[in-house]
Amino acid sequence: MKKQLTWLIAAMMAVLIVGCANQKGPAEQAIAGAESTLSGMRDMAQKYVPDQLAAVDAQLASLKDAFAKGDYKAVLAGAPALTSAIGSLKEAASAKAAEAEAAMAKAKDAWASMSTDVPKMVAALQSRVDMLTKSHHLPSGVTKDTLASAKTGLDSIKSAWNDATTAASSGDFTGAMAKATAVKDQATAIMQSLHMSSG
Amino acid sequence: MADEPTPTEQNPYTQTHVVAAGETLGKIAKQYYGDASLYTQIFEANRDVLKDPNKIFPGQKLRIP
């Protein structure tokens, strides 16, 4: 009886070992596949959906931990969810990338108009500031402080406009437009302070 | 960026003034710059439409640099 029990235990151990050994390969493949897929999209995911990438990384780390402990069954059980999460990650990152690309194209178009518009505003403003500086008196509603503030503002605008054109030159049209819009708003405010009406 | 727009330069942000009856370039310069002696600057900016600073006419649209 004792001999039979020993054989039974040995047989069960053998089945268990063979079973585990049979699961190790697929588990290893599942992890390697997930890592490979992730590495191909990591940069894009990091840029557009970093939180979602972190969640997927945590899922992968959990499976790798199970693998290291020899729990291949857990790895195989968790693999479909990881595959699904990676699929969702890729979909979300691609959608965000497409959105960003569309926004960039829109900003590039807007920049074409802005890049001719703002220099004209600045030229008109500079001309008026120069004229008022030559003047022995100031027109009604414009004080010395207003003029001094306009001069300071104009210097600030020129500097900000240089930043905007630098951003556009480097291909960052979204950034360039954000800066250019701020420049235009500031130029408009200065024009109003000097009682200039366009056209 | 040009410091001084030339008379023919089209800049939609350059202020304009439509001459009213009885106005002179000096009066217009006084209105916009506070200094009538700067009328010559308005004249120079409008050489394409003005031949003589003393001859401006109601309805003329002038650029005010």
Side-chain angles (χ1 to χ4, degrees):
Chain A
M1 180 65 185
K2 191 178 177 185
K3 195 175 179 183
Q4 281 177 328
L5 188 62
T6 306
W7 273 107
L8 181 62
I9 292 170
M12 285 177 69
M13 289 289 286
V15 167
L16 195 64
I17 290 167
V18 170
C20 284
N22 283 345
Q23 288 182 325
K24 184 180 180 183
E28 200 167 23
Q29 280 181 351
I31 289 174
E35 282 183 320
S36 171
T37 308
L38 264 180
S39 75
M41 54 182 285
R42 180 167 293 282
D43 289 349
M44 184 172 69
Q46 185 63 51
K47 186 174 180 181
Y48 297 111
V49 281
D51 292 346
Q52 202 172 336
L53 174 63
V56 170
D57 274 340
Q59 245 179 302
L60 176 61
S62 167
L63 292 197
K64 285 169 88 173
D65 188 46
F67 184 86
K69 289 174 181 166
D71 189 356
Y72 309 126
K73 194 179 172 183
V75 174
L76 292 175
L82 177 61
T83 303
S84 170
I86 291 173
S88 298
L89 180 70
K90 189 174 184 180
E91 209 170 283
S94 297
K96 290 270 185 187
E99 264 177 40
E101 202 174 310
M104 187 62 86
K106 194 177 172 186
K108 191 175 181 181
D109 283 348
W111 173 257
S113 147
M114 189 71 100
S115 64
T116 58
D117 204 32
V118 172
K120 286 178 180 173
M121 280 184 101
V122 175
L125 204 44
Q126 180 71 65
S127 170
R128 179 56 56 90
V129 165
D130 289 346
M131 291 300 291
L132 293 176
T133 303
K134 288 176 191 171
S135 178
H136 293 106
H137 306 282
L138 289 172
S140 171
V142 179
T143 65
K144 282 182 181 177
D145 286 345
T146 309
L147 181 57
S149 176
K151 285 178 180 175
T152 308
L154 193 51
D155 288 341
S156 159
I157 281 173
K158 287 175 183 173
S159 171
W161 181 245
N162 280 339
D163 291 345
T165 53
T166 301
S169 300
S170 67
D172 178 14
F173 292 102
T174 309
M177 274 305 292
K179 293 174 197 297
T181 303
V183 167
K184 194 169 181 175
D185 289 347
Q186 195 181 353
T188 301
I190 297 173
M191 282 180 157
Q192 284 170 351
S193 76
L194 297 179
H195 302 290
M196 293 172 69
S197 57
S198 60
Chain B
M1 290 173 199
D3 288 336
E4 295 267 357
T6 60
T8 53
E9 193 177 344
Q10 293 300 314
N11 184 339
Y13 293 99
T14 296
Q15 195 168 13
T16 54
H17 176 87
V18 178
V19 178
E23 281 187 326
T24 63
L25 285 185
K27 277 185 183 175
I28 296 169
K30 174 82 178 165
Q31 177 186 337
Y32 289 99
Y33 308 136
D35 187 343
S37 71
L38 291 174
Y39 76 92
T40 52
Q41 303 287 331
I42 298 175
F43 175 64
E44 289 301 327
N46 293 278
R47 289 295 291 260
D48 55 333
V49 292
L50 299 179
K51 304 302 172 200
D52 183 336
N54 296 312
K55 289 181 180 172
I56 62 173
F57 304 99
Q60 277 182 317
K61 193 174 180 180
L62 304 179
R63 285 182 288 271
I64 309 296

